Amino acid sequence: MAVNIYHNLLIKASPKQVFDAVTKPEHLNNWWSLKSSGRPELGAEYNLNFTDDFNWYCKVSDVQKNTSIYFKMTKSDKDWEGTTFGFDLEPKDNATWLKFSHENWKMPNDNFKHSSFCWAMLLNGLKNYVEKGKIVPFQDRN
């Protein structure tokens, strides 16, 4: 039985601005990871470094420029291993409707529940970053 995380939010910015914020390492490091690398190209590998113990990798499994991107985890903790997370972006009234998913979790255990909460907090951080330029220092992110 696979379980999934879904969050939707409106970001007052263009789809291109939101796409850049969820795909370019220099932006990812301002709202999510400590250090990251990668390119928004099909099959490209991303390194998502949070700490020495949380130095994870994923591959772009689907990408449509300024519209959507999906990442399949290839090296992570056992609960994230094999999961896919992604962002679908739809223009809406001079803003972007972001539809986030993190799918194929093996079970709704404590890590799943904590990750769902963290994604909600991080996506709010993404919204504040894109709309207001607000950067929360890495050590202060949940």
Side-chain angles (χ1 to χ4, degrees), residues 71-141:
F71 301 91
K72 182 163 180 90
M73 296 305 298
T74 57
K75 180 184 174 197
S76 61
D77 73 17
K78 66 181 177 98
D79 290 318
W80 281 56
E81 198 78 30
T83 64
T84 300
F85 67 93
F87 306 85
D88 287 309
L89 311 174
E90 296 176 8
K92 180 177 172 90
D93 302 326
N94 296 319
T96 301
W97 187 244
L98 182 146
K99 294 180 179 178
F100 171 83
S101 62
H102 192 164
E103 299 179 327
N104 297 317
W105 287 74
K106 294 173 187 79
M107 64 184 74
N109 61 12
D110 287 342
N111 192 1
F112 168 83
K113 294 170 188 174
H114 178 74
S115 293
S116 180
F117 173 79
C118 286
W119 273 123
M121 299 298 289
L122 288 164
L123 292 169
N124 188 58
L126 167 66
K127 177 180 173 67
N128 287 325
Y129 171 66
V130 174
E131 290 181 354
K132 302 172 186 171
K134 183 177 179 184
I135 298 171
V136 175
F138 180 78
Q139 64 274 15
D140 296 339
R141 298 177 203 156

Side-chain angles (χ1 to χ4, degrees), residues 3-18:
V3 290
N4 306 311
I5 297 168
Y6 299 106
H7 296 292
N8 294 345
L9 63 148
L10 188 69
I11 299 178
K12 295 175 186 168
S14 71
K16 181 190 182 322
Q17 290 171 293
V18 178

Side-chain angles (χ1 to χ4, degrees), residues 7-51:
H7 296 292
N8 294 345
L9 63 148
L10 188 69
I11 299 178
K12 295 175 186 168
S14 71
K16 181 190 182 322
Q17 290 171 293
V18 178
F19 186 82
D20 287 350
V22 300
T23 62
K24 293 187 175 182
E26 63 268 25
H27 294 296
L28 288 169
N29 297 340
N30 287 329
W31 68 270
W32 188 27
S33 53
L34 176 62
K35 298 180 285 189
S36 64
S37 63
R39 307 175 314 284
E41 299 170 4
L42 189 61
E45 182 176 72
Y46 273 73
N47 174 222
L48 304 169
N49 179 282
F50 304 97
T51 67

